[in-house]
Amino acid sequence: MAGGAVVNTSGAAKDYPGRLTLFVFFTCVVAATGGLIFGYDIGISGGVTSMDPFLKKFFPVVYEKKQLAAKNQYCKYDNQLLQTFTSSLYLAALVASFFAATVTRVLGRKWSMFAGGLTFLIGAALNGAAENVGMLIIGRILLGVGVGFANQSVPVYLSEMAPARLRGMLNIGFQLMITIGILAAALINYGTAKIKAGWGWRVSLALAAVPAGIITLGSLFLPDTPNSLIDRGHPEAAERMLQRIRGADVDVSEEYADLVVASEESKLVQHPWRNILQRKYRAQLSMAIFIPFFQQLTGINVIMFYAPVLFDTLGFKSDAALMSAVITGLVNVFATLVSIFTVDRLGRRKLFLQGGSQMIVCQVVVGTLIAIKFGTSGIGDMPKGYAAAVVLFICLYVAGFAWSWGPLGWLVPSEIFPLEIRPAGQSINVSVNMLFTFVIAQAFLTMLCHMKFGLFYFFAGWVVIMTVFIALFLPETKNVPIEEMVLVWKSHWFWSRFIADDEVHVGAHHVQMAASGGKKLAAAEP
């Protein structure tokens, strides 16, 4: 199987003892609520920008364009300032993620979550009280800082707390919370749009304070991860914490010894940002750049940011547009649950490849359906049954994303970095994600205006490229302890050329792969 790597767990990746304790489950649920703030924000902005009172107050040009009778459906929301309202958050998150890396490393993961929640809280208050576009955008920037901190720390925290064999399931809790945030936002928009007095948008924006309050308060009660405690010089506390999260009757001595060795090696690294550029980390660096880059080019944020706007553009009335966003939000939540229960059994690669194939088909179908009705002029109507078909295929597309690129785009980068470059690696992952989220958010409505139905074919083309990339270059990482992930890369047909035999360290012992005659992994076929 080209591109795959089969881990022979009897010889390489250890299966440390430990079970899913109630303590670990609750800490992971609390930490994963950091995803709520991100999800709520993704869902809320598209709904608010389709509300007439909001457009009248802040973007009158867009409102006037929307009211024109013989309008081009593709172009009625094309406005750079309106797109800046949505995208400014992601630019702020990009910058914040670099500062978050230092906070995460020096103070621990929980304080990075706390800082993110608190900043998001202030941003929500500013947005709810906004009187002009300036206030709106400053509020969005503060929300972005909060998202940058939360997205940097939460996936790492979840990966470090979870037993290796359940890491996928618990880490996807973050993505599940993102989808719940998106759904909650869609439901709230649907309700607030009915407020006759026209201040419903204020409620929608201010209610972002609820998920922010949950993670801010919740983070105060979270324990630090054993990895973080060892790294910050508290070995006894780390051993006690490891015992507590794996179970009182479990022997954690081997896992603890391996964590200590990993930490000692990481302390030899003075400059993680410089070190991540070393040849031996080429695989991890490539994944930290390509996976979030590809995740945004699936086109999912087109649906999630602008679902109500998109459905309105497709000729749905505004009430129906908001309801369609609720439907896609529900599909997103339930499909993410599928991923939670299959990721550690089927593995990462199978979900990536199946989800990608499903998304390609759906995007081509949606593009074709829109082309038939609106052509290149953008003028036309969509009958009820036809509109239902568009929603169905958009839902199938969302489902494909929600059990593949959605959760795995966060899970895989968070589990592949050795401790010495983990904060830097996760920062690169978050910042690339936010950079391209910003680009898509800023350009989408303009791209829709100019590329028309071809935009769906454009994203389908990118999904073809990313599916081939996964098939060739991503090895299977399920059930492999983070500290032993280097063995997976060393066994891969392509990435093995970047890692010398004497650079492979596993746990408390040094492994020389081929040189010692005892190969630790069954390598994939080239």
Side-chain angles (χ1 to χ4, degrees):
M1 185 172 66
V6 181
V7 180
N8 177 355
T9 49
S10 61
K14 299 171 194 168
D15 186 12
Y16 297 120
R19 60 184 186 278
L20 178 58
T21 60
L22 206 56
F23 179 67
V24 167
F25 179 75
F26 281 121
T27 55
C28 286
V29 167
V30 171
T33 58
L36 281 176
I37 63 176
F38 189 31
Y40 187 84
D41 190 82
I42 289 171
I44 216 73
S45 49
V48 163
T49 51
S50 71
M51 292 180 191
D52 287 348
F54 178 82
L55 291 175
K56 248 189 270 189
K57 184 170 178 65
F58 297 107
F59 305 99
V61 176
V62 180
Y63 177 72
E64 283 160 26
K65 203 191 288 189
K66 195 179 165 186
Q67 302 312 306
L68 291 175
K71 54 191 176 277
N72 178 337
Q73 294 284 7
Y74 294 122
C75 295
K76 65 182 180 182
Y77 285 102
D78 179 21
N79 180 277
Q80 284 300 306
L81 190 59
L82 179 64
Q83 290 174 113
T84 303
F85 163 70
T86 297
S87 66
S88 55
L89 180 148
Y90 302 97
L91 201 56
L94 189 162
V95 176
S97 66
F98 289 104
F99 295 100
T102 306
V103 175
T104 303
R105 191 179 69 251
V106 176
L107 299 179
R109 285 59 167 146
K110 64 179 282 182
W111 292 112
S112 189
M113 291 181 225
F114 177 77
L118 196 61
T119 319
F120 199 92
L121 207 53
I122 299 165
L126 259 181
N127 269 180
E131 286 301 328
N132 52 55
V133 175
M135 270 182 86
L136 263 188
I137 290 175
I138 290 168
R140 294 285 294 173
I141 288 168
L142 288 171
L143 295 177
V145 172
V147 165
F149 271 81
N151 285 10
Q152 208 281 338
S153 50
V154 172
V156 171
Y157 184 91
L158 295 170
S159 286
E160 291 180 346
M161 290 296 274
R165 73 179 84 91
L166 295 171
R167 188 175 60 241
M169 183 182 85
L170 290 174
N171 197 292
I172 291 175
F174 177 66
Q175 177 67 18
L176 179 65
M177 290 295 182
I178 292 177
T179 64
I180 290 170
I182 293 170
L183 175 61
L187 288 165
I188 286 164
N189 280 335
Y190 186 70
T192 58
K194 295 181 183 303
I195 296 173
K196 294 283 188 283
W199 45 264
W201 62 268
R202 287 196 187 275
V203 178
S204 290
L205 293 177
L207 280 176
V210 175
I214 293 170
I215 186 61
T216 307
L217 290 173
S219 63
L220 295 174
F221 298 98
L222 288 178
D224 265 320
T225 67
N227 314 57
S228 178
L229 287 165
I230 291 172
D231 214 27
R232 285 162 35 231
H234 306 291
E236 295 85 3
E239 190 168 16
R240 284 195 303 274
M241 182 52 62
L242 187 62
Q243 189 72 67
R244 191 174 178 195
I245 65 177
R246 297 291 177 258
D249 55 342
V250 172
D251 178 12
V252 296
S253 54
E254 188 182 13
E255 184 175 3
Y256 177 72
D258 288 352
L259 288 177
V260 169
V261 169
S263 177
E264 284 168 0
E265 286 180 5
S266 78
K267 281 177 182 153
L268 301 175
V269 178
Q270 297 300 313
H271 306 287
W273 290 100
R274 196 185 304 158
N275 274 60
I276 203 169
L277 298 175
Q278 287 178 11
R279 183 179 168 83
K280 65 180 176 179
Y281 299 128
R282 194 64 45 82
Q284 292 94 326
L285 180 61
S286 299
M287 293 300 158
I289 293 169
F290 282 113
I291 287 179
F293 166 70
F294 285 143
Q295 189 190 46
Q296 296 316 309
L297 283 166
T298 56
I300 189 65
N301 283 343
V302 170
I303 304 295
M304 290 308 165
F305 286 158
Y306 296 112
V309 170
L310 182 67
F311 286 125
D312 195 37
T313 296
L314 295 178
F316 291 60
K317 299 297 170 274
S318 68
D319 204 35
L322 288 167
M323 181 43 77
S324 301
V326 171
I327 293 165
T328 52
L330 273 168
V331 170
N332 201 7
V333 171
F334 285 110
T336 303
L337 287 170
V338 171
S339 184
I340 284 178
F341 294 112
T342 56
V343 68
D344 290 316
R345 196 163 66 248
L346 297 178
R348 283 65 163 149
R349 282 171 54 81
K350 281 182 183 171
L351 289 176
F352 263 131
L353 298 175
Q354 191 284 328
S357 305
Q358 185 169 319
M359 288 157 68
I360 293 162
V361 172
C362 292
Q363 280 166 315
V364 170
V365 171
V366 170
T368 306
L369 287 172
I370 293 170
I372 292 167
K373 278 298 161 196
F374 293 119
T376 52
S377 68
I379 298 169
D381 277 317
M382 202 175 272
K384 221 171 189 175
Y386 203 90
V390 172
V391 173
L392 172 67
F393 279 99
I394 284 179
C395 285
L396 287 171
Y397 160 78
V398 169
F401 176 85
W403 59 57
S404 63
W405 280 93
L408 302 181
W410 293 105
L411 167 62
V412 172
S414 77
E415 69 183 358
I416 60 175
F417 294 109
L419 190 61
E420 62 267 22
I421 57 165
R422 196 170 299 156
Q426 184 64 7
S427 280
I428 290 170
N429 175 41
V430 173
S431 57
V432 171
N433 194 304
M434 293 303 145
L435 173 62
F436 286 97
T437 307
F438 165 76
V439 170
I440 296 289
Q442 187 63 34
F444 164 65
L445 293 172
T446 304
M447 287 168 77
L448 181 63
C449 182
H450 294 284
M451 294 174 74
K452 305 175 171 57
F453 61 84
L455 186 60
F456 291 91
Y457 299 148
F458 169 79
F459 286 122
W462 276 106
V463 182
V464 171
I465 294 166
M466 65 187 76
T467 304
V468 171
F469 174 84
I470 292 295
L472 293 177
F473 298 112
L474 182 71
E476 185 52 71
T477 56
K478 71 168 181 175
N479 300 339
V480 183
I482 296 177
E483 281 65 38
E484 302 197 359
M485 201 63 75
V486 65
L487 293 174
V488 174
W489 302 111
K490 183 60 181 167
S491 77
H492 190 268
W493 72 273
F494 180 77
W495 300 117
S496 57
R497 71 193 70 186
F498 297 100
I499 306 167
D501 289 345
D502 61 359
E503 289 174 330
V504 180
H505 298 262
V506 179
H509 59 285
H510 182 76
V511 177
Q512 286 200 323
M513 302 290 292
S516 66
K519 283 203 176 192
K520 294 290 176 182
L521 291 166
E525 298 164 28

